[in-house]
């Protein structure tokens, strides 16, 4: 789980839309997983990885193994939030993404999603492509 001291090299701003809010006027809790997905997609784009095309070209795709989200606050309609994203760990076939959704530096939600790279048909795990691993290690080390 991302903590308050976690260093995120990547952040993507997002304006909260009306459709994402519940009757209390705050972002519905399930939408934070959508924000995490946006963060992952934009993080991969920043690495130069076209998802899902580049993973499929390497013979596999990403499948969710685990997800979690803790809520510390609430975003509201029309606010700008930052979706902070990083890869905390690369395994042989797994990727641990950590996320923080923040408003003006204040964490509103933190979370983690574990993906496994696997054959799309057989669903058997595969080693992450070396090019992807190298791109992540360069990006996170800079």
């Amino acid at each position: 789980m991302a903590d308050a001291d976690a260093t995120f090299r990547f952040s993507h701003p997002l304006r909260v839309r009306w459709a994402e809010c519940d009757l209390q006027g705050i972002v519905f809790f399930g939408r934070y997983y959508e924000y995490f997905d946006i963060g992952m997609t934009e993080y991969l784009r920043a690495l130069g990885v076209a998802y899902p095309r580049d993973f499929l070209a390497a013979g596999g795709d990403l499948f969710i193994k685990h997800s979690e989200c803790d809520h510390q606050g609430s975003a509201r309609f029309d606010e700008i939030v930052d979706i902070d994203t990083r890869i905390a760990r690369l395994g042989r076939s797994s990727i641990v993404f950590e996320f923080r959704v923040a408003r003006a530096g204040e964490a509103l939600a933190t979370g983690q999603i574990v993906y496994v790279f696997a054959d799309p048909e057989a669903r058997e795990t595969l080693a992450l492509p070396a090019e992807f691993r190298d791109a992540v290690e360069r990006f996170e080390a800079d």
Side-chain angles (χ1 to χ4, degrees), residues 8-70:
F8 291 89
R9 302 195 55 73
F10 181 81
S11 186
H12 179 74
L14 181 83
R15 183 177 298 275
V16 175
R17 295 158 293 227
W18 180 253
E20 296 163 351
C21 297
D22 61 19
L23 292 176
Q24 295 171 322
I26 59 176
V27 171
F28 179 69
F29 77 93
R31 296 287 186 162
Y32 288 95
Y33 282 105
E34 291 179 34
Y35 293 173
F36 295 171
D37 187 63
I38 291 167
M40 180 197 90
T41 301
E42 296 303 327
Y43 178 97
L44 293 175
R45 189 183 323 276
L47 259 59
V49 175
Y51 181 78
R53 185 187 70 215
D54 291 347
F55 287 106
L56 291 170
D61 202 356
L62 297 179
F63 296 88
I64 292 179
K65 179 74 173 170
H66 173 80
S67 65
E68 59 187 75
C69 181
D70 288 322

Side-chain angles (χ1 to χ4, degrees), residues 40-137:
M40 180 197 90
T41 301
E42 296 303 327
Y43 178 97
L44 293 175
R45 189 183 323 276
L47 259 59
V49 175
Y51 181 78
R53 185 187 70 215
D54 291 347
F55 287 106
L56 291 170
D61 202 356
L62 297 179
F63 296 88
I64 292 179
K65 179 74 173 170
H66 173 80
S67 65
E68 59 187 75
C69 181
D70 288 322
H71 300 268
Q72 294 86 20
S74 300
R76 297 183 179 281
F77 169 67
D78 211 33
E79 291 182 329
I80 301 290
V81 295
D82 293 308
I83 307 169
D84 301 329
T85 305
R86 71 180 185 154
I87 291 180
R89 189 180 69 73
L90 288 173
R92 183 191 78 79
S93 62
S94 64
I95 307 168
V96 178
F97 276 92
E98 290 187 340
F99 306 94
R100 178 177 57 211
V101 177
R103 177 186 53 234
E106 172 195 1
L108 303 175
T110 54
Q112 181 183 87
I113 298 179
V114 179
Y115 292 91
V116 175
F117 185 65
D119 178 287
E121 298 297 320
R123 302 285 173 107
E124 294 176 5
T125 62
L126 301 168
L128 287 165
E131 302 82 21
F132 173 73
R133 185 180 297 282
D134 292 344
V136 170
E137 289 172 356

